[in-house]
Amino acid sequence: MTPREERFDLVVVGAGPAGLSAATEAARLGLSTVVLDEQPSPGGQVWRAVERAAADAPLAAALGAEGRAGAARVAAFRGSGAAYRPETQVWQVERDGRVMASCAGIASVLRGERVLLAVGALERPVPIPGWTLPGVMTVGAAQILLKTSGALPDPGVWVAGQGPLVWLYCAQVLALGGRVAGVLDTAPPGAWRAAARHPAAVATAWRSVAEGLAWRRAVARAGIPVHRGVEAVEALGEGGRIARLRWRGADGARREAPARGLLLHEGVVPNVHAALSLGCAHAWDDAQACFRPVLDPFGRSSEPRILIAGDAGGILGARAAGLRGHIAALGAAADLGRLTPAGAAARAAPLRRLLRREVALRRLLDTLFPPRPALAAPADEVVVCRCEGVTAGALREAVQLGALGPSQAKAFTRAGMGPCQGRTCLLPLVGTIAAARGVPPAEIGPPRVRPPLRPVTVGELATLAEAGGPRLA
Amino acid sequence: MFHRPPDPAREATQAVTVTLDGRPVRARAGDTVAAVVLLAGLGHTRTDAATGERRAPYCMMGTCHECLMVIDGEPSRQACLVTVREGMAIERQPGAPRLR
């Protein structure tokens, strides 16, 4: 007896811009399609709770054009005929197209002729002294609280980091009547001059550049202190939570300030957890300092049944994700004989033209906000693996003892073996080992990821047996 | 660390009451458990099994697993992925998760 399998042409994991666009297009092309997503409503992180926000005038105004675009995309998806399973966690994906997922404690098995991973991005981990203290979280986390619960930061909450989200979040908080205590801008001060060497990119992306400058102006107008060229940010604790901040200013002087909270952001990186577990080939991306799956122009991975779209396939942003999702749906349709290869190529061509603009914008952003080497290989006393409390120093010791890669480092230190299964520490773990060995991260390679992708209870597994008998191999 | 500006209309129609470590707390429909914990000023969601340190939500999107809590008696639930329901019992998770 085997668990009952639900069969689909296309199983999409993730309901963000890429997943929604892919599912809407796949359903239009006649593919039986299902979307599995962890959240209670469609939109992913960038359009989190966007339908609810659309009904809340002040919040909708603060979210602006991007929110309206999201609401329209979600409406198109809702009307597409694709099946939708919210609050569903995928805990295993297999090369043969089987997907195991749980919803409300009940596990089920689906099988897709093709599986599209549209699992988006994670914020780049920011391993600094004190980043495990309560009161230290990411800017993305605070923005999710704003979008889903209308939550604003209390007085004394600082923002530290670089990239568009830092300024977008501050502008949204201000638009809703809130305030942040100050911004520690960690972008390298010379980056604007470097960007001036890419006039074509600036010209192509001028609308986004203007938008970014408007957010910064809003912060300046509100009189919020902004410290530029900041390095070596530290969170200092007292009574089990953050109490103070310390940083080094552009002039080299150490400064301190009291803090009730600290929101960190250093850009985003692809969510490669499921793709790594499938054994999909990955490459090291030097410009973005992260691993990304190796994909063909339709988003096909090295595994024949597995496609990857959106930021999960390399960071290009939300607008690009929608285009890449659409293109992946064309690829899946071609694979399943619903489109001829020439037909798929012809439909993809105009999308690729739009995509080129987003690629130009991303090149500019990568130049303006380059990944900081200090975060790739932090100082000895800094915790790298939050779950197991493993410091960079302990990892360097393990390398001295012969741990040449993440797998041995796990055995020596338990780094990457806690509840998050190495999602958060992947990059600083690889970066610290690479720096200690004096080799590039590409040579270290990503860690091996094993199922289940999420902690699964025995009770959940048992529901599979109830549905038709145990067979999980 | 976070607050929510008062919104009487919504508080009247979308109020949900849960308990945090036995104390009744008002939430709003659509809030995640992690949001309620942060808005209530609870400070931390769990103590770490490995180090004994206090931990609080870091990513709010299901990645970091710092927000593991005991929800309606079930340990190690990701509070940022669970939407509140009326009467939900939410507890901070101490140290290593209990085995069931």
Side-chain angles (χ1 to χ4, degrees), chain A residues 38-40 45 48 52 56 87 89 121-122 126 131-132 134-138 141-142 144-145 149-154 157 239 260-261 263 386-387 389 419-420 423-424 454-455, chain B residues 1-5 7 10 28-32 34-35 38-39 43-44 46 48 50-51 53-66 68 74 78 80-81 83 85:
Chain A
E38 289 179 347
Q39 300 303 328
Q45 302 307 332
R48 186 90 180 246
R52 205 143 39 86
D56 176 336
E87 293 184 280
Q89 288 199 302
L122 315 174
V126 190
W131 74 310
T132 56
V136 180
M137 60 200 301
T138 69
I144 287 167
L145 283 162
S149 290
L152 296 172
D154 283 343
V157 175
R260 251 184 98 80
L263 306 175
R386 299 173 59 104
C387 296
C420 97
R423 282 171 168 84
T424 311
R454 295 269 174 202
Chain B
M1 182 180 174
F2 291 93
H3 66 278
R4 178 152 56 192
D7 184 343
R10 201 164 315 165
R28 203 181 276 177
D31 286 343
T32 62
L38 289 164
L39 284 164
H44 67 281
R46 67 183 181 97
D48 189 71
T51 63
E53 293 169 352
R54 290 176 173 185
R55 294 292 175 86
Y58 175 74
C59 78
M60 289 299 287
M61 54 178 279
T63 300
C64 73
H65 289 65
E66 294 288 14
L68 298 181
E74 192 183 338
Q78 287 177 271
C80 74
L81 294 180
T83 307
R85 298 192 212 301

Side-chain angles (χ1 to χ4, degrees), chain A residues 42-461:
Chain A
Q45 302 307 332
V46 69
W47 297 327
R48 186 90 180 246
V50 75
E51 292 164 306
R52 205 143 39 86
D56 176 336
L59 187 55
L63 298 181
E66 197 52 44
R68 286 192 293 280
R73 192 74 61 75
V74 168
F77 166 70
R78 293 268 195 202
S80 72
Y84 171 50
R85 309 273 163 85
E87 293 184 280
T88 300
Q89 288 199 302
V90 170
W91 45 265
Q92 188 161 350
V93 183
E94 305 230 337
R95 290 176 182 153
D96 63 6
R98 278 185 301 168
V99 177
M100 285 80 163
S102 293
C103 178
I106 310 290
S108 56
V109 182
L110 300 89
R111 186 190 287 269
E113 287 302 315
R114 290 293 178 273
V115 175
L116 175 67
L117 301 176
V119 292
L122 315 174
E123 287 179 277
R124 183 185 297 281
V126 190
I128 59 166
W131 74 310
T132 56
L133 286 167
V136 180
M137 60 200 301
T138 69
V139 175
Q143 197 199 31
I144 287 167
L145 283 162
L146 183 145
K147 289 177 181 172
T148 58
S149 290
L152 296 172
D154 283 343
V157 175
W158 288 71
V159 176
Q162 60 168 339
L165 186 63
V166 164
W167 305 99
L168 171 61
Y169 175 71
C170 291
Q172 288 174 337
V173 166
L174 288 165
L176 289 165
R179 211 174 159 75
V180 300
V183 179
L184 303 180
D185 184 354
T186 62
W192 278 101
R193 279 190 294 281
R197 290 198 291 272
H198 300 274
V202 178
T204 313
W206 69 269
R207 201 187 294 271
S208 302
V209 172
E211 211 171 33
L213 292 173
W215 299 332
R216 280 174 187 256
R217 273 199 306 276
V219 172
R221 262 201 316 274
I224 289 168
V226 176
H227 300 268
R228 297 192 190 284
V230 164
E231 289 184 73
V233 178
E234 292 173 50
L236 308 173
E238 206 181 282
R241 63 172 292 114
I242 185 173
R244 300 184 71 73
L245 284 182
R246 189 188 289 154
W247 70 92
R248 192 168 65 233
D251 58 0
R254 307 288 291 170
R255 290 192 172 75
E256 272 195 37
R260 251 184 98 80
L262 174 63
L263 306 175
L264 301 167
H265 181 76
E266 293 281 346
V268 297
V269 295
N271 176 5
V272 291
H273 200 69
L276 287 177
S277 79
L278 279 154
C280 296
H282 282 70
W284 178 257
D285 185 321
D286 256 326
Q288 299 187 340
C290 60
F291 291 105
R292 62 175 160 73
V294 177
L295 302 175
D296 87 348
F298 282 94
R300 298 181 184 100
S301 76
S302 63
E303 282 300 322
R305 290 175 184 268
I306 310 295
L307 296 94
I308 302 174
D311 277 353
I315 302 302
L316 288 175
R319 274 189 298 262
L323 298 167
R324 294 156 94 192
H326 189 157
I327 292 170
L330 298 173
D335 288 352
L336 302 182
R338 309 297 170 83
L339 287 175
T340 63
R347 285 169 188 244
L351 304 169
R352 294 194 199 287
R353 274 195 293 279
L354 295 171
L355 197 51
R356 277 200 284 276
R357 190 177 309 168
E358 303 303 323
V359 172
L361 169 61
R362 189 54 46 175
R363 294 233 171 88
L364 179 63
L365 291 173
D366 289 343
T367 307
L368 288 176
F369 311 113
R372 298 197 295 125
L375 300 176
D380 277 350
E381 71 277 13
V382 177
V383 169
V384 169
C385 167
R386 299 173 59 104
C387 296
E388 297 290 333
V390 181
T391 62
L395 283 171
R396 291 189 179 103
E397 230 166 83
V399 171
Q400 289 294 316
L401 295 173
L404 300 180
S407 299
Q408 296 100 317
K410 276 185 184 179
F412 279 62
T413 67
R414 289 197 54 82
M417 294 181 75
C420 97
Q421 299 181 293
R423 282 171 168 84
T424 311
C425 64
L426 186 156
L427 289 172
L429 173 64
V430 170
T432 302
I433 294 171
R437 288 186 48 199
V439 299
E443 199 172 305
I444 303 293
R448 205 177 283 275
V449 174
R450 290 197 172 81
L453 302 172
R454 295 269 174 202
V456 185
T457 64
V458 174
E460 275 171 73
L461 288 177

